Amino acid sequence: MVVRKKANDWNKPIENFSRLLDSLVFTNGRNAKLRLIGRYLEETPDPARGYALAALTGDLRLPGVKPAAVRALAGGQIEPELFAMSYDYVGDLAETVALIWPDGEYFQPKLTDVVESLLNAKKAAATPTLKYWLDQLDYNGRWALLKLVTGGLRVGVSARLAKMALADAFDASVSDIEEIWYSVSPPYYDLFDWLEGRGKKPDPAVGAGFRPVMLANPLEEALLSELDPKNYLAEWKWDGIRVQAASRNGQRKLFTRTGEDIGNSFPEIVQHLDFDAVIDGELLIRTPKPNESMAVESFSALQKRLGRKTPGPKLIAELPACIRAYDLLFEGDEDLRSLPFIERRKRLEAWARKAPDIIDLSPLVPFSNWRELIEIRSSARAAGIEGLMIKDKFTSYVPGRPKNQWFKWKREPLTVDLVVMYAQRGHGRRSSYYSDFTLGAWKDANTLVPVCKAYSGYTDQELVKLDKWVRENTDKRYGPVRSVTPGLVLEIAFDAAQTSTRHKSGVALRFPRIKRIRWDKPVNEAEALAAVIKYINAS
Amino acid sequence: MSAQHFDWLKLRPEGLYCDPAGVFIDPARPVDRAIITHGHADHARPGHNNVLATQETLSIMKVRYPSDGAHYQSARYGQEFRIGDVSLWFAPAGHVLGSAQIVIEYRGYRAVISGDYKRQPDPTAAPFEPVRCDLFVTEATFALPVFRHPKPESQIDRLLRSISAFPEQPHLLGVYGLGKCQRILSLLRSAGFDEPIYLHGALVELTNLYTAFGNNFGNVQSVQTANKTALSVGLVLAPPSATTDRWSRRFNNPRIAVASGWMQVRARARQRGAEVPLIISDHADWNDLLKTCAETQASKVWITHGREDALAFALSKQGQEATPLRLSGREEESE
């Protein structure tokens, strides 16, 4: 082990938020990102670190400045012809403006001063305030500020990752942080006081805060022989997204499983959360047929709603959302999470009888032994159901993914043999390997069309062989992408096929992964496009 | 001044040609007589009959083309050569070791062909000297207002901070083998970094050449002969393509750094797989291009390669008539 000399001038912390962002943009590994953020939070004083944290989690609401106003500011600095050529070359408005803006006094203003002046600025003063700071900041600072006021940092850090970094840095659990997240606000003095042992844990019970969710592990079938079926309950696995509907003390929230509030996208749900409870369930699109009150649409219908931040009444009428409840975390002030699942289930069933119409109950799937359940699972595809959930009757509701308590057991995947058309190098550990593959099916005897991308499922040894094959069979290079001479077939496992307007082939596969490398199989025996399209109705 | 005062300087398929002297400057194809501004492969090519260049450039060419049969004649900066009625000499360009501008006088008019150049200080290259002239031939590699190269010391600082934050990982730094590599070595030592620095095999010979010309880079070792344990957490310089290709697999979980003027633009830095992008360039940035053209007081500027349109536009605003030459054979990425 080489001991590195610690020279003071370069061993300093990242004292500067824009420098942190700049490092995050270029860092690929998750652990490296956690370390960079954690180090910043540990070594930066209040309130700057609180504002920084809020910027990373998307909770810092600075007054927005429209792109047109930013362009107008740039127009005061540089001829429009030169700005146009620069923008054309760089391709990003905030970055272009940050780059062409002249360097000013260079005294490096403090994050706190910049943020607080903007938070306090009236709407009309936002643009002049922005200009004032652009004149003071260096390039990285200008870039970060422009990103913040024009809508989002996009530095490859999710809100969840930022919270994990916070938890890691202060030896706290991320569940605790998620639980209190909605009862604290920037710059989070009380949160840091608690994390650094100076204050009490902020009280999450006050509002309709997010409660960290309990997650399931994939079931290895071999494990079944070790489990006693009498200790478990089974439910269908629904093909929507996991949500938590919280309605407490007049506040109503609809959270994703990572604590993101998506209430604005589903006003018809929020409007009906007229109860005092916290529900765990699946968000689904219901089939608008009067006689089948709670039949649901496929995931692609839900995708159309998820893409809209503020849906119009027409879209809501066409694709109305509902919640299929499978757990009850709070009823009134009573926290049910420490009760065994079977007790919570009874309370949920009772509660569901008086629940609003947009919530129904996820039914139990009765079974007496594992063989019976295996049978049930094999019929899941025909029934249009994604699989089964198996839950231990006697465990309490634990945040995270505890072992051997909840299992997800997806239906058997479909498989199809496809031809490798393009390969791209991966990132991080895989940056020297052609590891991401675009795969095609035969449109006619001579034409392949892409139907999916796959970049997992192989072993390290197989990756070495795949990489070698790509290099030896390269036809053309397009930057990081190579097209290859058709010559290799991969067996792809996937969960379902969907129509796609984005792909030329008109079809997209869900959850594709490489099941087997078919070194033996001639390419002309790979699947025809027509056969792949038939799978659209098979699920 | 009309263009015909310079009708003795012509653009031919081989490259820029001085008719009354019968010489090409940085020709892209083999010719009888060539003057070479500097040793980068897109300027200095093998296969000419006669080559006139600085001693350093000729030494670089000998390393790169050991079997080149050309007759080499060396020039000192400022030494005057007469070919018929043409008088010419070499002036430092500040780009890499031995890089020169070619000053050519004929019938009372002076043209300066600058090759590639930079204005930032660089202890491994003689500093650029502006030469007053009537016609200035300039590059335009970074001719957009978005390119303003920061002080190289700030970029070295960025690398050292990464090394300090990730001490258990090796750092692979992609550098161009001629000039960039040695400038970085020099900058690292000036910053006080005194660990051994490891070189990819392709960088060793040119670095030795720089040492022979009086540079001292401290403890620099070839990767092939280095101690494996030290190497596994060390700083390694390599050609940019090697840092993300098969060669890099010998390192466990390396951090990838790239030193280039292109690192200014984030999308390009990410495309190159850089986790630690260092904006260090051996070319003039936007402000230095405009400043240099102004300092030469040339009434006409010819632009060889790069982003000609933006530079021509801005030069016309400062009263200089600019013409893009659209020279072929120059490498966009050679930085």
Side-chain angles (χ1 to χ4, degrees), chain A residues 99 125 187 251 255 390:
Chain A
L99 283 167
Q251 285 185 35
F255 296 110
I390 301 171

Side-chain angles (χ1 to χ4, degrees), chain A residues 236-254:
Chain A
W236 298 115
K237 184 176 188 316
W238 302 105
D239 193 12
I241 65 164
R242 182 83 175 269
V243 288
Q244 186 176 101
S247 183
R248 306 226 42 222
N249 305 323
Q251 285 185 35
R252 297 172 180 188
K253 303 264 188 191
L254 184 66

Side-chain angles (χ1 to χ4, degrees), chain A residues 104-376:
Chain A
E105 296 298 308
Y106 230 70
F107 69 85
Q108 265 314 343
K110 291 193 164 56
L111 175 67
T112 307
D113 295 338
V114 177
V115 168
E116 288 182 350
S117 75
L118 279 162
L119 285 174
N120 296 330
K122 299 228 164 62
K123 189 98 180 117
T127 307
T129 310
L130 172 63
K131 180 181 182 309
Y132 172 81
W133 289 119
L134 289 177
D135 285 338
Q136 315 292 333
L137 287 159
D138 68 358
Y139 161 67
N140 274 329
R142 292 191 295 267
W143 170 77
L145 178 57
L146 284 163
K147 282 279 171 202
L148 273 174
V149 297
T150 56
L153 288 171
R154 294 195 203 93
V155 292
V157 174
S158 64
R160 166 122 182 131
L161 193 79
K163 289 169 200 164
M164 287 183 69
L166 179 68
D168 285 359
F170 295 97
D171 290 323
S173 90
V174 69
S175 314
D176 281 351
I177 287 169
E178 284 182 330
E179 176 152 22
I180 59 175
W181 191 253
Y182 285 86
S183 56
V184 295
S185 56
Y188 308 117
Y189 288 115
D190 45 353
L191 176 62
F192 284 105
D193 280 349
W194 164 61
L195 288 170
E196 294 184 326
R198 286 185 305 274
K200 289 202 317 270
K201 183 172 172 181
D203 183 3
V206 189
F210 172 69
R211 270 75 189 181
V213 300
M214 180 160 177
L215 299 167
N217 293 294
L219 179 76
E220 306 288 340
E221 226 169 299
L223 187 69
L224 282 181
S225 59
E226 296 170 29
L227 306 177
D228 182 348
K230 285 199 290 294
N231 292 339
Y232 292 87
L233 296 173
E235 296 169 40
W236 298 115
K237 184 176 188 316
W238 302 105
D239 193 12
I241 65 164
R242 182 83 175 269
V243 288
Q244 186 176 101
S247 183
R248 306 226 42 222
N249 305 323
Q251 285 185 35
R252 297 172 180 188
K253 303 264 188 191
L254 184 66
F255 296 110
T256 65
R257 65 175 232 197
T258 55
E260 190 194 341
D261 185 358
I262 53 168
N264 287 337
S265 303
F266 297 92
E268 80 272 38
I269 299 272
V270 176
Q271 186 195 337
H272 288 107
L273 300 181
D274 45 3
F275 48 79
D276 193 342
V278 178
I279 304 297
D280 189 0
E282 194 89 353
L283 186 69
L284 296 159
I285 298 299
R286 83 168 98 168
T287 307
K289 287 179 194 156
N291 48 347
E292 300 171 52
S293 68
M294 285 303 257
V296 295
E297 295 280 333
S298 72
F299 185 75
S300 55
L302 178 59
Q303 256 176 334
K304 289 177 197 147
R305 285 292 305 268
L306 289 168
R308 291 288 181 85
K309 280 256 156 69
T310 43
K314 189 163 163 272
L315 186 67
I316 293 176
E318 271 169 31
L319 301 168
C322 63
I323 294 173
R324 192 145 289 175
Y326 35 64
D327 220 320
L328 183 61
L329 310 189
F330 276 75
E331 191 172 10
D333 281 337
E334 191 186 351
D335 187 346
L336 308 183
R337 290 176 295 171
S338 54
L339 298 179
F341 175 55
I342 193 159
E343 291 301 317
R344 298 201 307 279
R345 177 77 202 183
K346 280 181 200 149
R347 297 280 296 261
L348 175 69
E349 285 171 3
W351 181 87
R353 283 194 280 276
K354 50 185 183 5
D357 285 347
I358 48 118
I359 297 179
D360 71 354
L361 186 66
S362 174
L364 294 176
V365 177
F367 69 101
S368 46
N369 57 57
W370 294 128
R371 186 171 308 157
E372 202 178 321
L373 201 60
I374 290 170
E375 202 97 326
I376 292 170

Side-chain angles (χ1 to χ4, degrees), chain B residues 56-67 72 202-210 213:
Chain B
E56 293 88 342
T57 298
L58 293 176
S59 303
I60 292 161
M61 290 177 73
K62 281 176 195 155
V63 167
R64 290 203 152 160
Y65 316 123
S67 56
Y72 286 169
L203 306 179
V204 170
E205 221 174 345
L206 284 168
T207 302
N208 288 342
L209 185 72
Y210 266 67
F213 276 98

Side-chain angles (χ1 to χ4, degrees), chain A residues 387-500:
Chain A
L388 289 166
M389 300 293 300
I390 301 171
K391 297 177 179 175
D392 188 321
K393 286 178 184 170
F394 305 108
T395 58
S396 51
Y397 192 95
V398 192
R401 209 184 289 276
K403 267 204 164 161
N404 293 354
Q405 300 193 8
W406 286 12
F407 298 100
K408 54 183 170 189
W409 197 18
K410 283 198 184 184
R411 61 189 177 189
E412 280 296 335
L414 299 165
T415 63
V416 65
D417 289 334
L418 298 171
V419 182
V420 179
M421 297 179 68
Y422 304 95
Q424 186 170 1
R425 283 199 278 201
H427 292 284
R429 206 167 66 85
R430 288 181 179 174
S431 65
S432 72
Y433 291 94
Y434 285 89
S435 59
D436 301 5
F437 303 94
T438 302
L439 299 140
W442 295 107
K443 193 175 179 191
D444 55 52
N446 302 308
T447 321
L448 283 167
V449 285
V451 296
C452 76
K453 274 190 166 192
Y455 35 83
S456 65
Y458 40 69
T459 63
D460 283 358
Q461 289 88 334
E462 283 173 329
L463 177 58
V464 170
K465 286 191 192 153
L466 286 167
D467 176 74
K468 186 161 174 285
W469 186 87
V470 169
R471 290 170 192 273
E472 286 167 359
N473 292 278
T474 297
D475 172 34
K476 290 200 190 79
R477 295 168 182 227
Y478 312 89
V481 180
R482 292 186 178 200
S483 74
V484 294
T485 318
L488 181 60
V489 176
L490 301 181
E491 183 180 339
I492 300 299
F494 64 101
D495 186 60
Q498 288 173 206
T499 47
S500 163

